[in-house]
Amino acid sequence: MNAAFQLFGEHVLWTDAIGNVLSLAVVWLAMRKTVWTWPVQLAGALLLLAASLHAHVPGNALKQMLFLVLAVYGWVAWTRGTRDHRDLLVRPGTRRERLTLLVLLVVGTVGVAELFAHLSWLHIAWSPWANAYVFVGSAIATFAQSRALVDFWIIWMLVDLVGVPLALKSGLYASGAVYGVFFLLVLLGFTRWRREYRTRRDGFAVAGNNAAITHDQGGV
């Protein structure tokens, strides 16, 4: 946990550096919809948990513990979704799902911010709201990812906008740098998943129209 190296004059923990490299790998794997996304995320969360404990960032440590649980859930869900060599089907969230995710983000951020502000062992004197937002947003994005919702990329974008300055302020410089690269990869992932969904949807529409024409011709 204490092993570190110097980078541009900054003290960087190996657990933080390697954990974030694995986090980037998770985004790359998620774009390709491989089940390997989840064991890699599990390993990354363990390393970042160690880094957070060393840096005395309890909120981030708690987030990594939640990631461990969500990684197991996502692993099971994607394994079922790709059973018998099937391709994982991605889709946008329904109106109800999106509303639920939004409500969870707002209510969760308020609740966790209160915990960060008033629980002694979780106390964050500075930016409890920003920490709570990143904590809850990351958890919701990971859950949406486990459900193969295209919307999870959008949630990650919103989290990154706060995550970069927050990580730098916490002294987790590797995390801050990775969050910046992470944002670019998330944009690519969103574009790729959305294009794939639209291609599949349009293919179904064409197939449906052809079937209808064939049926009408048969009737004639």
Side-chain angles (χ1 to χ4, degrees):
M1 291 179 63
N2 300 325
F5 60 95
Q6 294 293 319
L7 182 63
F8 302 117
E10 299 294 345
H11 185 77
V12 180
L13 295 170
W14 276 108
T15 50
D16 187 31
I18 299 175
N20 278 291
V21 168
L22 292 180
S23 294
L24 288 176
V26 166
V27 183
W28 185 81
L29 292 169
M31 279 194 286
R32 286 153 180 76
K33 304 184 303 175
T34 170
V35 176
W36 278 102
T37 299
W38 299 104
V40 172
Q41 181 161 330
L42 196 65
L46 284 171
L47 289 171
L48 292 176
L49 172 60
S52 299
L53 291 174
H54 182 272
H56 306 291
V57 187
N60 197 56
L62 194 60
K63 181 179 70 176
Q64 299 306 326
M65 293 175 66
L66 183 57
F67 277 177
L68 293 175
V69 176
L70 289 172
V72 173
Y73 174 79
W75 196 345
V76 173
W78 279 30
T79 299
R80 290 176 177 173
T82 56
R83 188 172 295 164
D84 299 326
H85 304 289
R86 290 178 297 177
D87 191 32
L88 183 70
L89 299 181
V90 301
R91 64 178 178 83
T94 63
R95 181 177 301 177
R96 181 176 181 179
E97 286 173 326
R98 289 174 173 173
L99 180 60
T100 300
L101 293 176
L102 179 60
V103 170
L104 287 175
L105 178 61
V106 173
V107 174
T109 298
V110 173
V112 173
E114 287 299 308
L115 294 178
F116 285 166
H118 297 101
L119 283 185
S120 58
W121 65 280
L122 271 178
H123 182 65
I124 297 177
W126 52 271
S127 304
W129 285 90
N131 276 277
Y133 171 78
V134 172
F135 177 92
V136 176
S138 299
I140 291 176
T142 305
F143 174 75
Q145 176 184 336
S146 71
R147 305 291 295 175
L149 300 181
V150 177
D151 308 73
F152 100 87
W153 296 105
I154 300 175
I155 301 172
W156 270 126
M157 291 181 209
L158 298 176
V159 170
D160 286 347
L161 293 177
V162 177
V164 173
L166 186 62
L168 294 176
K169 191 173 181 180
S170 300
L172 297 174
Y173 300 104
S175 293
V178 167
Y179 264 122
V181 179
F182 192 74
F183 185 82
L184 298 177
L185 290 177
V186 166
L187 285 175
L188 292 174
F190 172 67
T191 301
R192 180 167 179 159
W193 275 35
R194 184 177 61 174
R195 181 172 61 245
E196 178 182 325
Y197 167 73
R198 288 180 173 178
T199 299
R200 190 176 78 248
R201 180 195 61 189
D202 294 343
F204 284 152
V206 171
N209 290 335
N210 290 338
I213 293 174
T214 300
H215 180 269
D216 292 341
Q217 291 176 340
V220 174

